[in-house]
Amino acid sequence: MRIACPFCGPRGVDEFAYLGDATVKRPNADAPDALPAFVEYVYLRDNPAGLHRELWQHALGCQSWLVVTRNVRTHVIDQVEAARDVAAARSSEAE
Amino acid sequence: MAETLVARSALRAHVAPPAAPAGAPGFTLREVPDLTLASVAALKGREAELAEAVRAAYGLDLPQGPKRVASGPVAFVGAGPGKWLAVSSAATDFSALPAAVADQSDGRSAFRLAGPKARETLATLIQVDLHPRAFGAGDVALTHAASIAVTLWQLDDEPSYEILMFRTYAATLWRWIVEAGRSRGVEARLAG
C-alpha cells in the first residue's frame, strides 16, 4: 500500500504510523449525557467493510498527520488530506 | 569547575571505518562537520512575516514543499508543512526569526556523497526515486535509509548529495553506505 502524502508525494506504508479512527469526535464534557458519550468516543468503534476514514502520521517523513479515506477491503485510497485542514474545516462548520 | 563544551564528531574510526577502492573511486563519502542546524516552524497566522524576515535576512524565498534553497553559507530546507530546517556552514544565529526556532546542531550529523556512483548507492538504501527526471539538484526527501530517519537533498548534478540523520545513528548509516558502496568504488575517509 502506498499513501500519497500531500507534502512528500507517494510513499510506502512503512513510512507511516496508523493512529486510529478519524471519524470519532470528542464529545462535550459538560453535556448531561457526557459519560455514555465518552464511553462511545473512547471504546466503541465501527468496523465498516468498505470506505473508512483513518488517521495516519508520516512518521518517517515530514511528521504530518493525515486523514486517509481508504477502502479497507481493497486498500484503494480515495483521498488523503492534511489532518489540520480537516480539523479547521470541522471547527469552521461548528461555528 | 565549569567544563568547556567542545563539539565533536559522532564518528570514530572503530565504528565508522574508512574505505578505499581498488581502482578509480565511484564516489566519495565524507562527514560535513560543524554545521549550524535549526528547526524553524512558522507561528500560526505569521507565515508571511517569517517569509519576509527570511527574505530580508538571507535573501531567500522560503521553499514550499520538499525543496532546498541556498545563498552563501545559509540554506533553508522544506521539512514539512510550515516547517523548515535552517542550515548554515558558518556560525549563523537563526534565533531572531519570528518563528518557533530550536537549535539542532548537536543532535544531527551530516554526510556528503559525491560522484557518479553516489545515486546508485543511495538507491540501494532509499526507496524514493532518485532518477534525474524525478529528483534533481534542490530536491529534498524526508524518508528513511535502512530504517534510519534521514533528510536527503541533492546539491548538484555530479551528482552530490547531503544526508542528515540523528547523531546516534551516524556510525550505523556510515557503515551501511560503505557496505552498499563497496562494489561501487566508495572512497570513505574521516576528517583529520
Side-chain angles (χ1 to χ4, degrees):
Chain A
M1 199 166 82
R2 283 166 76 74
I3 297 176
C5 172
F7 187 82
C8 299
R11 296 292 176 84
V13 75
D14 56 314
E15 293 193 6
F16 294 85
Y18 178 68
L19 293 162
D21 192 329
T23 62
V24 292
K25 195 174 162 194
R26 189 180 174 84
N28 179 3
D30 299 325
D33 64 341
L35 183 62
F38 264 91
V39 169
E40 171 100 9
Y41 166 69
V42 175
Y43 296 110
L44 301 180
R45 293 287 177 271
D46 292 333
N47 185 18
L51 279 187
H52 193 220
R53 280 165 74 74
E54 302 168 330
L55 279 172
W56 290 77
Q57 192 196 17
H58 195 191
L60 272 170
C62 65
Q63 314 286 328
S64 292
W65 286 62
L66 308 171
V67 174
V68 176
T69 307
R70 180 174 76 100
N71 188 317
V72 299
R73 284 197 294 201
T74 61
H75 299 307
V76 172
I77 291 171
D78 281 7
Q79 197 183 12
V80 183
E81 303 151 90
R84 69 172 174 183
D85 294 346
V86 174
R90 193 189 260 182
S91 62
S92 70
E93 264 169 35
E95 273 163 20
Chain B
M1 194 177 82
E3 221 176 310
T4 312
L5 295 174
V6 180
R8 293 210 302 173
S9 165
L11 302 175
R12 300 285 181 280
H14 65 285
V15 289
F27 72 100
T28 58
L29 171 65
R30 296 284 186 277
E31 186 178 20
V32 186
D34 303 322
L35 282 183
T36 302
L37 301 165
S39 61
V40 177
L43 300 171
K44 195 175 179 183
R46 294 176 65 185
E47 293 85 354
E49 186 187 343
L50 172 63
E52 192 47 53
V54 169
R55 198 175 299 124
Y58 308 108
L60 290 170
D61 287 319
L62 277 180
Q64 301 301 316
K67 299 276 178 191
R68 174 184 182 269
V69 294
S71 167
V74 173
F76 280 81
V77 174
K83 292 191 300 182
W84 293 268
L85 192 69
V87 184
S88 173
S89 54
T92 307
D93 184 6
F94 293 105
S95 63
L97 290 173
V101 180
D103 187 76
Q104 308 288 340
S105 307
D106 56 359
R108 314 280 179 108
S109 292
F111 302 154
R112 183 175 294 139
L113 292 84
K117 291 284 186 184
R119 176 181 292 122
E120 189 183 306
T121 305
L122 280 173
T124 66
L125 300 170
I126 284 175
Q127 295 169 25
V128 173
D129 188 0
L130 298 179
H131 189 281
R133 73 172 166 248
F135 196 86
D139 280 333
V140 174
L142 303 146
T143 183
H144 64 98
S147 299
I148 297 167
V150 297
T151 306
L152 172 79
W153 57 82
Q154 187 171 335
L155 287 173
D156 56 40
D157 292 329
E158 186 183 0
S160 61
Y161 299 88
E162 284 181 343
I163 189 166
L164 206 68
M165 79 296 307
F166 288 116
R167 172 188 171 90
T168 42
Y169 289 101
T172 308
L173 190 61
W174 178 280
R175 292 198 300 273
W176 270 107
I177 296 171
V178 165
E179 199 55 41
R182 208 172 290 285
S183 60
R184 299 177 177 89
V186 59
E187 199 266 292
R189 201 152 26 85
L190 297 178

